[in-house]
Amino acid sequence: MHIVVVGLSHKTAPVEIREKLAVPESRLGEALNRLCGYSGIKEGMLLSTCNRVEVYAVVEELEAGYSRIQEFLADAHLSVSSEQLTPHLYWQTGDRAVAHLFRVACSLDSMVVGESQILGQVKDAFEMALTHKTTGLILNKVVKKAITVAKRVRTDTRIAETAVSVSYAAVELAKKIFSDLRDKTVLLVGAGEMAKLAARHFIASGVRHVRVTTRTPQHAVALADRFSGTAVPFEQFREEMAAADIVLVSTGAAHYLVGSDDVQRAVKQRMNRPMFLIDISVPRNIDPAVRHVDNAFLFDIDDLKFRVEQNRGGRLQEAEQA
Amino acid sequence: MAAVFFMVTMALYFAATVSFLALLVRRADALSTFSLTITAVGFATHTVALVTRMLTGPGASSPSIHEALSFFSWMLILVFLAVEFRHRLHVLGSFIVPLALVSLVSAAALPDTVPTLQPVFRTLWVHVTLSMLGTVGFAVAFVAGVMYLIQDGLLKSKRFNVLYSKLPALDFLDDLNQQSIVLGFPLLTLGIITGAISAEFARGSYVNWNPEQTWALVTWLFYFVVLVGRLTVGWRAKRAAYLTIIGFAGVVLTLIGVAIKSFGSVS
């Protein structure tokens, strides 16, 4: 018996491959059953997020197990052949597979190290596997342990601060554009965890007007309620952008939702009042060409992280000075 | 007496300029306290120099370009101290104090003997004061514009250096730019009107289209367009910053014209 992980993540595969392999929640059960239908696969769990697709399994024979899982991954998607897939995959077994799961659950392997979403996603994947009875003694024990450790890591270490400090960096940057945030309007596009956190930070810093838009209107209404804001139909959000001083974008879309033209038009409608655009989506949802639009200031997740690093460096320097 | 205070002021503004420029690249609370203190002391000696000269000197009835520039420099420092007092904006000093120093050094370099004019020129004080107050407004708009472009550039290129952390928010600088022009423009307008009236008394004609007057009118027209553009079609932010920098170049050219004329009238 071997415990293995086979998968790909933002570190090994471009978004074009990731999005093809991602398994929608509605089809997870079916996929799990199919996985465990392969001979030699004793237990299985499938973790599918926008940044990774991973199969955790217990197999009888290592080599055969690896190829079965690879077959399973390629099989689900007629558009991706096994050969296309291989260069993006990683395989681990035994201790190293377990260590990988722990790293993932603790958000050490995440694109934004310390983000809180991944732990929930691991829990969901595990529950889904439990529901379909595809896990057994070994995986149950390992995954439960990983979840417990990840929880402890969150509470005992400062890892989660990075995600928090990214939101903080966004607010701090906004204050270099707008001296008073109280009369400013935030438009939240999409409902990613990071964006919601950032929106909360903006509200805490005095922003009173929040508008929310998501692809699912009910979702937007619910979110708007939580932020005492208003929901905006998704189809119209580009036109609504002119009314927003701060635009926070974080959707699962794999393409640019906001282009240069949209921003240029918004800035013009705003009579050249500056706009602050934050793109927390991966892949990015705002065309990077927006950087060249006058009076529009676009920052993506890398820019914010860079700012966080700098803040940290600055604090170290100040500590040394003291 | 006035000359001594004037020289002391110049030395203090020089020291303040050096220490304010150092503040652009260094983070040091002691340095900003020092800069502010010597600027404030310099402002006090400057005030004494101006008052004694007004009471005793020849400038009382018809001021020369020397007095105009010295007054301009004094007003700049006054505006800076006022903004500093309200907003604690040390970095503004790094831009305004050097400008005040340049203006004061130019004043020192220019003849302070007033060319003899007819006694009817008593209204000239009003003309010079108003024009200089208007010019102070444009100078502050210019400084706000320069600071705006720097901060805009730092944000766009994501260079979060010491200067970035010291410069205020973009919309604050844009507001400062707008307020300075909204205040400066009517003052300059009145300055030009009183100047024309003085000229009418002295020479019998409101304008004689010398280069200095022409430039003054061109500058006035330029700021008029800038102000109207700003209030109607949204010429704010980056565009306003560029326009006020160009406009101030016009103001400086006008002053150079006046300075050349005053050299001419001395010889």
Side-chain angles (χ1 to χ4, degrees), chain A residues 44-62:
Chain A
M45 180 179 97
L46 184 57
L47 178 62
S48 172
T49 76
C50 55
N51 283 327
R52 65 183 67 246
V53 178
E54 290 176 337
V55 173
Y56 292 88
V58 174
V59 297
E60 277 174 346
E61 271 174 79
L62 208 52

Side-chain angles (χ1 to χ4, degrees), chain A residues 42 96 124 135 159-160 175 213 218 234 240 245 318 322:
Chain A
K42 293 292 164 198
R96 300 184 67 165
D124 290 347
T135 53
I159 180 106
K175 284 183 177 164
T213 185
Q218 300 93 309
F234 193 78
E240 295 278 337
D245 305 285
E318 271 164 33

Side-chain angles (χ1 to χ4, degrees), chain B residues 65 68-69 71-72 127-137 255:
Chain B
I65 177 80
L69 283 175
F71 175 68
F72 172 71
H127 159 66
V128 171
T129 309
L130 288 169
S131 308
M132 279 300 145
L133 284 175
T135 309
V136 167
L255 286 171

Side-chain angles (χ1 to χ4, degrees), chain A:
Chain A
M1 287 291 180
H2 304 273
I3 179 161
V4 296
V5 55
V6 179
L8 47 77
S9 74
H10 61 99
K11 287 185 176 162
T12 62
V15 67
E16 293 81 37
I17 302 281
R18 264 152 44 210
E19 67 196 1
K20 276 182 191 149
L21 259 82
V23 184
E25 214 182 310
S26 55
R27 286 174 48 202
L28 263 177
E30 175 201 324
L32 278 169
N33 288 330
R34 198 164 53 80
L35 172 67
C36 292
Y38 284 95
S39 65
I41 298 184
K42 293 292 164 198
E43 298 180 27
M45 180 179 97
L46 184 57
L47 178 62
S48 172
T49 76
C50 55
N51 283 327
R52 65 183 67 246
V53 178
E54 290 176 337
V55 173
Y56 292 88
V58 174
V59 297
E60 277 174 346
E61 271 174 79
L62 208 52
E63 287 308 315
Y66 277 153
S67 51
R68 289 293 104 75
I69 295 171
Q70 192 174 337
E71 207 176 302
F72 159 78
L73 284 171
D75 236 25
H77 303 273
L78 300 172
S79 49
V80 186
S81 69
S82 201
E83 292 75 47
Q84 271 179 304
L85 204 56
T86 315
H88 302 293
L89 290 177
Y90 42 80
W91 299 267
Q92 301 286 0
T93 181
D95 287 352
R96 300 184 67 165
V98 175
H100 180 82
L101 173 63
F102 277 45
R103 281 182 58 80
V104 168
C106 295
S107 182
L108 290 170
D109 200 52
S110 299
M111 196 172 275
V112 179
V113 173
E115 52 101 4
S116 61
Q117 219 168 354
I118 186 67
L119 179 54
Q121 288 163 336
V122 171
K123 277 189 207 163
D124 290 347
F126 183 50
E127 263 159 39
M128 189 58 90
L130 284 179
T131 317
H132 292 85
K133 301 194 171 64
T134 57
T135 53
L137 270 178
I138 302 175
L139 271 187
N140 283 352
K141 198 171 174 191
V142 169
V143 180
K144 273 184 191 159
K145 190 74 192 162
I147 292 171
T148 318
V149 167
K151 277 185 190 158
R152 276 204 56 190
V153 165
R154 284 196 66 77
T155 47
D156 292 3
T157 72
R158 308 171 75 189
I159 180 106
E161 276 180 18
T162 309
V164 174
S165 38
V166 163
S167 314
Y168 174 80
V171 172
E172 179 223 45
L173 280 164
K175 284 183 177 164
K176 282 294 179 186
I177 299 172
F178 309 111
S179 42
D180 189 356
L181 292 179
R182 275 174 299 180
D183 55 350
K184 297 294 173 284
T185 301
V186 169
L187 172 65
L188 178 61
V189 182
E193 276 305 316
M194 292 284 295
K196 279 193 274 187
L197 188 62
R200 241 173 270 143
H201 263 75
F202 274 109
I203 294 166
S205 307
V207 168
R208 281 200 293 249
H209 310 286
V210 181
R211 315 178 116 225
V212 184
T213 185
T214 60
R215 257 185 226 284
T216 352
Q218 300 93 309
H219 214 138
V221 172
L223 254 183
D225 275 354
R226 251 171 63 196
F227 294 134
S228 6
T230 44
V232 173
F234 193 78
E235 303 72 40
Q236 280 169 30
F237 90 84
R238 286 175 200 79
E239 287 75 48
E240 295 278 337
M241 253 179 8
D245 305 285
I246 299 158
V247 182
L248 264 169
V249 184
S250 166
T251 79
H255 57 275
Y256 298 144
L257 291 176
V258 178
S260 273
D261 294 350
D262 302 318
V263 176
Q264 210 137 30
R265 195 174 49 235
V267 169
K268 203 174 169 195
Q269 277 175 24
R270 292 170 59 78
M271 303 252 279
N272 290 322
R273 279 185 195 86
M275 265 180 107
F276 181 30
L277 299 115
I278 309 157
D279 187 358
I280 317 189
S281 344
V282 179
R284 289 179 292 187
N285 287 163
I286 302 182
D287 188 345
V290 167
R291 280 165 212 279
H292 305 298
V293 178
D294 268 355
N295 305 317
F297 299 89
L298 169 64
F299 290 84
D300 62 27
I301 185 72
D302 285 350
D303 299 326
L304 294 176
K305 274 163 79 184
F306 172 65
R307 186 72 193 116
V308 170
E309 296 295 313
Q310 255 197 340
N311 278 343
R312 197 164 291 154
R315 251 178 269 139
L316 280 178
Q317 265 180 8
E318 271 164 33
E320 268 168 33
Q321 269 181 6

